[in-house]
Amino acid sequence: MKIAVLSGKGGTGKTTVSTNIATVMNWNYVDCDVEEPNGFIFLKPEVKKTEYVKIPVPKIDEEKCIRCNKCADVCQFNALAGTKTGIIFFDKLCHGCGACTMVCPVGAITEEGRKIGKIDIGNTESIKCMRGLLDIGEPMAPPIIKRLKALVDEETTIIDCSPGSSCSVVAAIEGVDVAILVTEATPFGLHDLKIAVELVRQMNIPFGIVLNRADEEHDLITRYCEEEKIALVGKIPYAKKAAVLYSEGKLLIEDEEYNKMFKGIGERILGVKACS
Ligand code: SF4
Ligand code: SF4
């Protein structure tokens, strides 16, 4: 079973929810927030293997090239441009689709791998952990996310997604069994939550909501869940002890009250799948 944890906006506590639930429920953890993977700060796994992720990019043989421009014309991403002196290749724009290689009439294009990031694989005492890390300056996260997901086995796994609702999030939540949307009780939180709800509804993924930093005064998320008939699977209270544990790089489940709370959330997540 794959459980994606996402949030419409950054800073809602998505990684806090992911790492604590993964540990307390003994579920494996995959950090797909490849531009800023910080789950390992809290889980502190021992990294046992690193795999580099490459995408296939064209390599043009200038001797064979007849300057026909067909490769530049077919490229949907403007990664190739024809000039008087030959073809110019902009590697960061290339999506590795292979179309240019296919259309070249003289076989002047071969493919070579270009490294865009890496995957770390390891474990804590109780769970398996993986994270993707996009190289600085690289624009394309989905190839790393797809590779990470291909490495996920059949065991129950938490997939910690990027914030927002970009193509990185779509790549991370594609094919999951359940999605958990982490939010906060602010107008911005609700605004971005609605976008995330729209996304998981469009993708037909059963989902529930976890409200982080909840307090008695602000109930706009609770009301929204009631109005939309969405399962509110957990409320994590606004408390100084959570902030202290977080700032020390510790899991909140070290505290008995939070331990019980996250176990309850984990069990209710299983209920979201069962009710779908
Ligand atoms: S592999 Fe695809 S994206 Fe890259 S240069 Fe060729 S046509 Fe463009
Ligand atoms: S399609 Fe092949 S021959 Fe034509 S410009 Fe591109 S590399 Fe050169």
Side-chain angles (χ1 to χ4, degrees):
M1 178 171 169
K2 296 188 190 83
I3 302 158
V5 179
L6 59 151
S7 62
K9 78 184 263 303
T12 58
K14 176 180 54 60
T15 295
T16 301
V17 169
S18 302
T19 51
N20 281 279
I21 291 180
T23 306
V24 84
M25 298 300 286
N26 267 326
W27 293 342
N28 297 330
Y29 172 83
V30 178
D31 200 340
C32 283
D33 186 0
V34 300
E35 285 172 75
E36 202 178 350
N38 53 10
F40 277 26
I41 294 171
F42 303 96
L43 294 172
K44 302 173 183 65
E46 187 187 342
V47 175
K48 298 205 163 142
K49 192 177 159 200
T50 294
E51 177 183 312
Y52 294 102
V53 179
K54 294 178 180 176
I55 58 168
V57 297
K59 188 178 170 201
I60 297 172
D61 183 337
E62 297 292 337
E63 304 277 298
K64 284 189 184 168
C65 176
I66 55 169
R67 317 281 191 263
C68 70
N69 239 27
K70 285 188 176 170
C71 53
D73 291 343
V74 80
C75 182
Q76 299 289 300
F77 306 99
N78 298 319
L80 294 166
T83 68
K84 282 182 189 159
T85 52
I87 296 288
I88 299 177
F89 175 50
F90 302 97
D91 60 354
K92 296 280 165 57
L93 297 180
C94 176
H95 281 54
C97 70
C100 51
T101 310
M102 287 170 69
V103 299
C104 180
V106 292
I109 304 180
T110 50
E111 288 181 348
E112 61 183 1
R114 190 173 74 77
K115 178 179 160 287
I116 59 164
K118 67 170 187 167
I119 288 172
D120 288 329
I121 304 166
N123 57 271
T124 66
E125 277 175 19
S126 54
I127 63 170
K128 288 186 249 173
C129 303
M130 287 194 285
R131 72 168 171 191
L133 191 60
L134 189 66
D135 285 350
I136 291 169
E138 287 296 338
M140 274 197 305
I144 298 186
I145 294 169
K146 285 178 185 165
R147 178 62 191 145
L148 266 172
K149 288 180 69 188
L151 294 171
V152 171
D153 58 25
E154 291 304 308
E155 291 176 36
T156 303
T157 301
I158 290 276
I159 296 174
D160 190 355
C161 306
S162 309
S165 48
S166 64
C167 55
S168 300
V169 178
V170 173
I173 68 176
E174 221 161 25
V176 301
D177 300 287
V178 179
I180 296 303
L181 279 47
V182 183
T183 188
E184 60 184 21
T186 63
F188 283 134
L190 179 60
H191 175 271
D192 291 350
L193 172 67
K194 286 179 179 175
I195 297 170
V197 165
E198 188 65 23
L199 177 67
V200 290
R201 278 184 171 153
Q202 275 191 20
M203 293 178 74
N204 285 321
I205 300 170
F207 69 100
I209 287 174
V210 169
L211 173 56
N212 193 20
R213 295 191 282 273
D215 63 27
E216 296 300 317
E217 264 178 67
H218 303 94
D219 67 346
L220 76 172
I221 300 295
T222 311
R223 278 190 281 121
Y224 171 72
C225 289
E226 284 166 7
E227 282 161 16
E228 291 287 322
K229 299 188 176 26
I230 298 170
L232 185 56
V233 294
K235 278 188 181 184
I236 302 163
Y238 190 61
K240 187 179 171 187
K241 67 179 173 184
V244 170
L245 285 165
Y246 180 87
S247 64
E248 290 171 347
K250 292 178 179 166
L251 291 171
L252 304 194
I253 54 169
E254 288 190 17
D255 177 270
E256 202 177 322
E257 187 191 348
Y258 280 105
N259 194 297
K260 272 192 204 148
M261 195 183 300
F262 279 106
K263 256 186 204 151
I265 295 172
E267 274 149 24
R268 285 190 289 279
I269 289 172
L270 296 175
V272 171
K273 170 68 182 159
C275 291
S276 66

